[in-house]
Structure formats: structure tokens, C-alpha cells
Amino acid sequence: MPNEVSELDRLAVMRFYPTSGQIEVTREFPEETYLWNKDFHPTPVEKRNWGPWTYMAIWFGMVFVVPTWFLAGAGFSFGLNWYEILIDFFLGSLIIIVPTIIQSHGGARYGMSEPQLTRSRWGIYGAQLPSWIRAVISMGWWGIVSYIITEAAVAMYVSASGKLSLLQGASPYSLAKSFPDIFWPVFVAVILVQVLLFYVSPPVKAQPPLKMLARAAAPIVALGFAVLFVYTMTMAHWDFSPITSIPQSVRGGEFWINNLAYLNAVIADWATMAVSMPDFTRFARSQRAQTWGQVPMPFLMTMVAAIALMTTGATIALGLGGGKGISDPIILAALELPGLLKFFVLAAFMLAMFVVNVFANSIAPGYDIANTYSKYLTWFRGIVIGVVISAALGAWTFYASGAYGFIYNWLLVYGALLGGVEGVLIFDYAVIRRFKFEAVDVYLSRGRFRYLKGFNPAAFIAFAFGTTVTYLWYWGWLRTPTTQFLYVNSWISAFLITGVLYVVLMVLWVIPKYQVFLIGDLKQGYMSAEVRKLFNPGSKKD
């Protein structure tokens, strides 16, 4: 390979721990000012101490949130009935947790965050594209979630000040519209509190306050959801039959279009985490810890969806919301819960949304943005830039626009982008390299992941083709039943098209030309002599 760093003894600066399967990079690279800083250096094995309960708590805090509740109710707008919604919730969550665990494997094995892992697949400079895609989408969600936190805070103010009668409607936009003078200052305060947490919790210290936050928040959030659920169901004498009596309202081809769109919306809901989880699993004490901690996620998602549907059914039975029910849990809590119970539940919602913003929508963009120029941008500075991006995007307007706009113009749109990104990530790591690569080279400007001037052409070509084909119907370039099918399957379509094309391009072109050190085939995977010896020190093949 031309311009490769030939004098580096890779085996001397990488240590393999056979018991845990972890790799530790023992040398720093301060001379590589663009690719390395202390935040980006792999976590030392001695500081990888997060167990399965921490990861389960992270998912618990991220799943038990208002958008999950909202997304469950959105299924009725697509003509689905209650059990079809629950089936899609479980299948969609199950589908996305598989690439999430595969991507998490890299973080747990190498102690690296996502941007550094991505360099091995997209190239040391090419990794900027998927990282920025993830950053922009995550910060879009950051704005949506911050908006919901503000909703809960303002609902507390409105309740305490006796102004509930002034509330205009019961939509996610109602509080901002009815009380703008208090809503937007609180929104700014929510931003500042989140930034403060990251200032006192740098990732180089294994983020101890974040670990404590995840574990402490889970039971409080669960109790808040349980209180609203039990109180509402008790008011309705546990009658949620209006929800179960809502029939499937679409048939034939329309049913499958709507069903697949909803399924892919559920997949896209956590597609950012399928990229981002290495930012947390870099602290995992083992693969078993991160895997078992994440397996419950599909069951948690389905549980929240069931609670949301039953509670909404109870509000219909009670004649609330003009007989149409109340699907927004914040409005429901503010209007119906008594006294201090109301404030506890609203505070629990705020905590729940804060936790999801911390773990799903803030840490990852900080790494991504800082990765743009590691010499000057630390992780915290990346967070600050991300906050500015989030404010400029104003993505909460998608959430406030209703079910159709939220799914078709937000979840499915970015689902295709992340499907393409994850197609490259997963097919490269699992199919091409079989979970093994030269960890040290992601920090080397003249190392093995330079590809073509720092860019992996297979990744860019496959991504461009896979996402463009998926968007043909949405962009109006080619409106046929086939292109519509591809778009409503946005994440699945982009993931499979991009991933398969990527493998073909790597095997037939990029490996022979730019990765000549790789030896193997698709049956056994491709790896260099050093990597094979690192993982199999007694191998006679080397």
C-alpha cells in the first residue's frame, strides 16, 4: 500500500486481552494533530467498568419518553389497529437492536467512540460525512426533546398559577402558543442546564456523572409513567376498550404501504443509536455486559407503546379531549392529575426527556463535531457547536406538525440516510473484517485506512447509490409502486442496497487496490497478518 507507515510495529502498541476479547492501544499519537487527542484515545481497559445494568438503565431512560408515547398513537393515523401497532413496535425495535449491538461490539472491543471506528470503514477523512450526518440528525432530535422538556416545565407553571383554563387545545404546540412569554425563556434555561452537565462530565474520565444519572433516573421515570397510567386507568375503571375497538381502516396495497412506513418509522426512531452506541460501550467491561444490557430494548419499547395505547383508550372512555381522548401525556398529566402527584409526574417526564437527550442526542454529536478538527475541538466544544446547530434547525416543528408529517418528513427521511450509513458500517465490520482490524491505524494519516487520499470510494459510491434509489419517490423523480415501496421501507432499503453494493465494491476493487495487506475471502473474512497474529498469537500461518 503506497505511503503506508511501514516503520510502526503495530503488535507492539496493541495489547489483546483474551479473556474479555478487548484491545488496548498503548501508545498516544500527539504528532497526528488532526486525528488524535486525549478525548479520542481508546479508553484504557482498567477504566472500562460499565456493566449490563448501566446499559439497561440507559435504554430504560431513553425508551420511557414522550416521543415513544406519541409514536404509538401515530399508528392509528396510518390506519392500523392496536395489535398491528404493537407488532410493528416490537419488530421495528428488534430489527434496529441487531445492528446496534454489532456496532456496539467495536466500542467494547477497541474502547473507541463512533467517529474513530468509522474511520476504518469510510477512511480517515471520509468518516466526516457519516459523522456529520449523525450529528445533524441527533441535534435535530436534541431540539425536539428540549422542546418537550420545556413543555413539561411550562405545564407545571400553568398548573401552579391556575392558568390551565387559558390552554388553547391539547397538541404539542399548545403550550408554546398559549404561553410564549414563559415558554421560550424556559427553553433557553433547559439548554444551559444540559450544557453544564457536559462541562462537569468530560468523556476522558469515563463520564461518571452520566453513569450515575442513568442508574438514578430509571426508577423515577418508571414510577412517573406508572402513576399516570394507573391513575388514568382507575378513573376509567380500567376501561380501555375504545382503543381495542378502533378497526384497521386500510386494506390491500394501502395497508402494506402504511404498515411498512410505520414499521420503518419505529426503526428510524432509534437508528441514531445504531451508530452512536460505541460512544457508551467504549466503557463496557465486556461484550456480555453491553449485549445483555441492550437486549431488553424491544420489550421495553413494546411495553411503553401498550401503556400509551391503553391510557389513550381510557381517556376516550372518560370523554376527555372533547370525546377524542388525550394522547399527549404532558397535557393529560397537567389536566387530570391532582396536587403534588401532577408535579411529580411532570418532573419525571422532564427527567426522562433529559436522560434521552443526554445519552441519545448530545454525546454522539459532540464526538462527531470534535472529530472534524481534533487539534482544536474537544468533545465539550463539539457539544457547544451542536447546540447552535440544533437551535438553527428548529426540528421540533416536525414533531408539532402531526403524525403524518412527523413520520414521512422526519423519521423516514433521515431513516434512509442512517440506513445507508449503517449499511457501510455493519457490512464492513461484520462481513468484511469479522470484527477485527488494526485499531492503531485510525489515528495515522499515512496508515492503512487512508484508502484513496483519506476516503474509501466504496463507501461513498454505495451510500450515494443506496440513498438516492431510496429517495426517488420522495423527491418526485420517479413515482412508481416500486419506488414508493423503497421509500416507505426507507431504513431497510438503504441499509440493504448500500451494504450489498459496498461488499461487492470492496471485494472486487478497493481491497485489491487500496487494502492489499488484507488476506482472506468472504467465507472467512479479511484481515492482515498482524491482526491475525494479534488475535491468534500461536497461529502457524504467521
Short mmCIF file of all heavy atoms in Angstrom, two decimals, residues 277-313:
data_model
loop_
_atom_site.label_atom_id
_atom_site.label_comp_id
_atom_site.label_asym_id
_atom_site.label_seq_id
_atom_site.Cartn_x
_atom_site.Cartn_y
_atom_site.Cartn_z
N MET A 277 -23.90 4.01 19.72
CA MET A 277 -23.68 3.26 20.95
C MET A 277 -22.21 3.02 21.31
O MET A 277 -21.88 2.91 22.50
CB MET A 277 -24.42 1.93 20.91
CG MET A 277 -25.89 2.02 21.32
SD MET A 277 -26.21 2.81 22.92
CE MET A 277 -25.56 1.59 24.07
N PRO A 278 -21.27 2.95 20.34
CA PRO A 278 -19.87 2.83 20.77
C PRO A 278 -19.40 3.96 21.68
O PRO A 278 -18.44 3.78 22.45
CB PRO A 278 -19.10 2.83 19.44
CG PRO A 278 -20.06 2.26 18.47
CD PRO A 278 -21.41 2.80 18.89
N ASP A 279 -20.05 5.12 21.60
CA ASP A 279 -19.69 6.23 22.48
C ASP A 279 -19.91 5.86 23.94
O ASP A 279 -19.34 6.48 24.84
CB ASP A 279 -20.51 7.47 22.13
CG ASP A 279 -20.25 7.95 20.71
OD1 ASP A 279 -19.22 7.56 20.13
OD2 ASP A 279 -21.08 8.71 20.18
N PHE A 280 -20.76 4.85 24.19
CA PHE A 280 -21.02 4.36 25.54
C PHE A 280 -20.39 3.01 25.80
O PHE A 280 -19.89 2.74 26.89
CB PHE A 280 -22.52 4.29 25.80
CG PHE A 280 -23.23 5.58 25.53
CD1 PHE A 280 -23.98 5.75 24.38
CD2 PHE A 280 -23.11 6.64 26.39
CE1 PHE A 280 -24.61 6.94 24.11
CE2 PHE A 280 -23.73 7.85 26.14
CZ PHE A 280 -24.49 8.01 24.99
N THR A 281 -20.40 2.14 24.79
CA THR A 281 -19.85 0.80 25.01
C THR A 281 -18.32 0.81 25.05
O THR A 281 -17.72 -0.21 25.41
CB THR A 281 -20.33 -0.19 23.93
OG1 THR A 281 -19.94 0.25 22.64
CG2 THR A 281 -21.85 -0.33 23.98
N ARG A 282 -17.70 1.93 24.73
CA ARG A 282 -16.25 2.04 24.90
C ARG A 282 -15.89 1.92 26.39
O ARG A 282 -14.72 1.71 26.73
CB ARG A 282 -15.73 3.36 24.34
CG ARG A 282 -16.26 4.59 25.05
CD ARG A 282 -15.78 5.89 24.41
NE ARG A 282 -14.35 6.02 24.44
CZ ARG A 282 -13.70 7.19 24.40
NH1 ARG A 282 -14.38 8.32 24.31
NH2 ARG A 282 -12.40 7.24 24.43
N PHE A 283 -16.89 2.07 27.27
CA PHE A 283 -16.67 1.94 28.70
C PHE A 283 -17.15 0.58 29.24
O PHE A 283 -17.14 0.37 30.45
CB PHE A 283 -17.40 3.07 29.45
CG PHE A 283 -17.01 4.44 28.98
CD1 PHE A 283 -17.92 5.24 28.32
CD2 PHE A 283 -15.74 4.94 29.21
CE1 PHE A 283 -17.57 6.51 27.88
CE2 PHE A 283 -15.37 6.20 28.77
CZ PHE A 283 -16.29 6.99 28.12
N ALA A 284 -17.59 -0.32 28.35
CA ALA A 284 -18.12 -1.61 28.79
C ALA A 284 -17.00 -2.51 29.30
O ALA A 284 -15.92 -2.58 28.72
CB ALA A 284 -18.85 -2.30 27.65
N ARG A 285 -17.29 -3.24 30.38
CA ARG A 285 -16.25 -4.13 30.91
C ARG A 285 -16.15 -5.44 30.12
O ARG A 285 -15.17 -6.17 30.25
CB ARG A 285 -16.51 -4.43 32.38
CG ARG A 285 -17.77 -5.17 32.72
CD ARG A 285 -17.75 -5.62 34.18
NE ARG A 285 -19.00 -6.24 34.58
CZ ARG A 285 -19.86 -5.70 35.42
NH1 ARG A 285 -19.62 -4.51 35.93
NH2 ARG A 285 -20.97 -6.34 35.74
N SER A 286 -17.15 -5.72 29.27
CA SER A 286 -17.11 -6.92 28.44
C SER A 286 -18.18 -6.84 27.36
O SER A 286 -19.08 -6.00 27.43
CB SER A 286 -17.34 -8.17 29.30
OG SER A 286 -18.68 -8.17 29.79
N GLN A 287 -18.09 -7.73 26.37
CA GLN A 287 -19.12 -7.81 25.35
C GLN A 287 -20.44 -8.29 25.96
O GLN A 287 -21.52 -7.84 25.57
CB GLN A 287 -18.69 -8.77 24.23
CG GLN A 287 -17.53 -8.28 23.39
CD GLN A 287 -17.85 -7.03 22.59
OE1 GLN A 287 -19.00 -6.63 22.46
NE2 GLN A 287 -16.81 -6.40 22.05
N ARG A 288 -20.35 -9.18 26.91
CA ARG A 288 -21.56 -9.69 27.54
C ARG A 288 -22.30 -8.55 28.25
O ARG A 288 -23.54 -8.48 28.21
CB ARG A 288 -21.22 -10.79 28.54
CG ARG A 288 -22.42 -11.34 29.28
CD ARG A 288 -22.05 -12.51 30.17
NE ARG A 288 -21.60 -13.65 29.37
CZ ARG A 288 -21.24 -14.82 29.90
NH1 ARG A 288 -21.28 -14.99 31.21
NH2 ARG A 288 -20.86 -15.81 29.11
N ALA A 289 -21.57 -7.64 28.86
CA ALA A 289 -22.19 -6.53 29.58
C ALA A 289 -23.00 -5.65 28.64
O ALA A 289 -24.17 -5.32 28.92
CB ALA A 289 -21.12 -5.72 30.30
N GLN A 290 -22.40 -5.27 27.52
CA GLN A 290 -23.13 -4.39 26.60
C GLN A 290 -24.26 -5.11 25.89
O GLN A 290 -25.31 -4.52 25.63
CB GLN A 290 -22.16 -3.72 25.61
CG GLN A 290 -21.50 -4.64 24.59
CD GLN A 290 -22.28 -4.76 23.28
OE1 GLN A 290 -23.32 -4.11 23.10
NE2 GLN A 290 -21.79 -5.60 22.37
N THR A 291 -24.07 -6.39 25.59
CA THR A 291 -25.11 -7.14 24.86
C THR A 291 -26.33 -7.38 25.73
O THR A 291 -27.46 -7.05 25.34
CB THR A 291 -24.55 -8.48 24.35
OG1 THR A 291 -23.43 -8.23 23.49
CG2 THR A 291 -25.61 -9.23 23.58
N TRP A 292 -26.12 -7.94 26.91
CA TRP A 292 -27.26 -8.24 27.78
C TRP A 292 -27.94 -6.97 28.25
O TRP A 292 -29.16 -6.96 28.51
CB TRP A 292 -26.80 -9.07 28.98
CG TRP A 292 -26.56 -10.50 28.62
CD1 TRP A 292 -25.36 -11.15 28.58
CD2 TRP A 292 -27.54 -11.47 28.23
NE1 TRP A 292 -25.52 -12.45 28.18
CE2 TRP A 292 -26.86 -12.68 27.96
CE3 TRP A 292 -28.93 -11.43 28.07
CZ2 TRP A 292 -27.51 -13.83 27.55
CZ3 TRP A 292 -29.58 -12.59 27.67
CH2 TRP A 292 -28.87 -13.78 27.42
N GLY A 293 -27.19 -5.89 28.36
CA GLY A 293 -27.80 -4.63 28.76
C GLY A 293 -28.70 -4.03 27.70
O GLY A 293 -29.58 -3.20 28.02
N GLN A 294 -28.51 -4.42 26.43
CA GLN A 294 -29.29 -3.83 25.34
C GLN A 294 -30.41 -4.74 24.83
O GLN A 294 -31.36 -4.26 24.20
CB GLN A 294 -28.36 -3.48 24.18
CG GLN A 294 -27.32 -2.44 24.52
CD GLN A 294 -26.63 -1.89 23.29
OE1 GLN A 294 -27.21 -1.12 22.55
NE2 GLN A 294 -25.40 -2.32 23.05
N VAL A 295 -30.33 -6.03 25.08
CA VAL A 295 -31.33 -6.98 24.59
C VAL A 295 -32.76 -6.62 25.02
O VAL A 295 -33.71 -6.81 24.25
CB VAL A 295 -30.96 -8.41 25.02
CG1 VAL A 295 -32.13 -9.36 24.87
CG2 VAL A 295 -29.77 -8.91 24.20
N PRO A 296 -32.98 -6.09 26.23
CA PRO A 296 -34.37 -5.79 26.65
C PRO A 296 -35.04 -4.66 25.88
O PRO A 296 -36.26 -4.48 26.01
CB PRO A 296 -34.21 -5.41 28.13
CG PRO A 296 -32.92 -6.02 28.57
CD PRO A 296 -32.04 -5.94 27.36
N MET A 297 -34.31 -3.89 25.09
CA MET A 297 -34.88 -2.70 24.46
C MET A 297 -36.17 -2.96 23.68
O MET A 297 -37.16 -2.22 23.86
CB MET A 297 -33.84 -2.01 23.57
CG MET A 297 -34.30 -0.67 23.01
SD MET A 297 -35.30 -0.76 21.49
CE MET A 297 -34.05 -0.77 20.23
N PRO A 298 -36.27 -3.96 22.79
CA PRO A 298 -37.52 -4.18 22.06
C PRO A 298 -38.72 -4.44 22.98
O PRO A 298 -39.84 -4.01 22.68
CB PRO A 298 -37.22 -5.39 21.18
CG PRO A 298 -35.74 -5.41 21.04
CD PRO A 298 -35.22 -4.90 22.34
N PHE A 299 -38.47 -5.12 24.08
CA PHE A 299 -39.55 -5.40 25.02
C PHE A 299 -39.98 -4.13 25.76
O PHE A 299 -41.18 -3.91 26.00
CB PHE A 299 -39.11 -6.48 26.02
CG PHE A 299 -38.73 -7.77 25.37
CD1 PHE A 299 -37.40 -8.05 25.06
CD2 PHE A 299 -39.69 -8.71 25.04
CE1 PHE A 299 -37.04 -9.24 24.44
CE2 PHE A 299 -39.35 -9.91 24.43
CZ PHE A 299 -38.02 -10.17 24.12
N LEU A 300 -39.00 -3.28 26.10
CA LEU A 300 -39.33 -2.01 26.75
C LEU A 300 -40.13 -1.11 25.82
O LEU A 300 -41.10 -0.47 26.25
CB LEU A 300 -38.04 -1.31 27.20
CG LEU A 300 -37.24 -1.98 28.31
CD1 LEU A 300 -35.92 -1.25 28.53
CD2 LEU A 300 -38.04 -2.03 29.60
N MET A 301 -39.72 -1.05 24.56
CA MET A 301 -40.45 -0.22 23.59
C MET A 301 -41.89 -0.68 23.46
O MET A 301 -42.83 0.14 23.44
CB MET A 301 -39.76 -0.28 22.23
CG MET A 301 -38.52 0.58 22.10
SD MET A 301 -38.89 2.35 21.99
CE MET A 301 -39.51 2.47 20.30
N THR A 302 -42.09 -1.98 23.35
CA THR A 302 -43.45 -2.51 23.21
C THR A 302 -44.27 -2.25 24.46
O THR A 302 -45.48 -1.96 24.38
CB THR A 302 -43.39 -4.01 22.90
OG1 THR A 302 -42.50 -4.24 21.79
CG2 THR A 302 -44.76 -4.55 22.54
N MET A 303 -43.63 -2.33 25.61
CA MET A 303 -44.33 -2.06 26.87
C MET A 303 -44.83 -0.61 26.91
O MET A 303 -45.98 -0.35 27.28
CB MET A 303 -43.39 -2.32 28.05
CG MET A 303 -44.05 -2.08 29.41
SD MET A 303 -42.84 -2.10 30.76
CE MET A 303 -42.08 -3.70 30.50
N VAL A 304 -43.96 0.34 26.55
CA VAL A 304 -44.37 1.75 26.56
C VAL A 304 -45.50 1.98 25.56
O VAL A 304 -46.46 2.71 25.84
CB VAL A 304 -43.18 2.67 26.24
CG1 VAL A 304 -43.63 4.12 26.14
CG2 VAL A 304 -42.11 2.53 27.31
N ALA A 305 -45.41 1.37 24.39
CA ALA A 305 -46.47 1.52 23.39
C ALA A 305 -47.80 1.00 23.93
O ALA A 305 -48.86 1.63 23.74
CB ALA A 305 -46.10 0.79 22.10
N ALA A 306 -47.78 -0.15 24.61
CA ALA A 306 -49.01 -0.72 25.17
C ALA A 306 -49.59 0.20 26.24
O ALA A 306 -50.82 0.42 26.29
CB ALA A 306 -48.71 -2.10 25.75
N ILE A 307 -48.73 0.73 27.10
CA ILE A 307 -49.19 1.66 28.14
C ILE A 307 -49.83 2.89 27.50
O ILE A 307 -50.88 3.37 27.93
CB ILE A 307 -48.02 2.07 29.05
CG1 ILE A 307 -47.59 0.87 29.90
CG2 ILE A 307 -48.39 3.25 29.94
CD1 ILE A 307 -46.32 1.12 30.69
N ALA A 308 -49.17 3.42 26.46
CA ALA A 308 -49.69 4.62 25.79
C ALA A 308 -51.06 4.36 25.16
O ALA A 308 -51.98 5.18 25.29
CB ALA A 308 -48.70 5.08 24.72
N LEU A 309 -51.20 3.22 24.50
CA LEU A 309 -52.48 2.90 23.84
C LEU A 309 -53.59 2.69 24.86
O LEU A 309 -54.72 3.18 24.67
CB LEU A 309 -52.31 1.66 22.97
CG LEU A 309 -51.37 1.78 21.77
CD1 LEU A 309 -51.32 0.46 21.00
CD2 LEU A 309 -51.79 2.91 20.84
N MET A 310 -53.30 1.98 25.92
CA MET A 310 -54.32 1.73 26.93
C MET A 310 -54.75 3.03 27.61
O MET A 310 -55.95 3.26 27.86
CB MET A 310 -53.80 0.74 27.96
CG MET A 310 -53.60 -0.67 27.43
SD MET A 310 -52.80 -1.77 28.64
CE MET A 310 -54.12 -1.92 29.85
N THR A 311 -53.79 3.88 27.91
CA THR A 311 -54.11 5.14 28.58
C THR A 311 -54.94 6.04 27.68
O THR A 311 -55.92 6.66 28.13
CB THR A 311 -52.82 5.86 29.02
OG1 THR A 311 -52.02 4.97 29.81
CG2 THR A 311 -53.14 7.10 29.83
N THR A 312 -54.57 6.12 26.42
CA THR A 312 -55.35 6.93 25.47
C THR A 312 -56.77 6.38 25.34
O THR A 312 -57.74 7.15 25.28
CB THR A 312 -54.66 6.96 24.10
OG1 THR A 312 -53.35 7.49 24.24
CG2 THR A 312 -55.44 7.84 23.13
N GLY A 313 -56.90 5.05 25.33
CA GLY A 313 -58.22 4.45 25.28
C GLY A 313 -59.05 4.82 26.48
O GLY A 313 -60.26 5.08 26.38
#
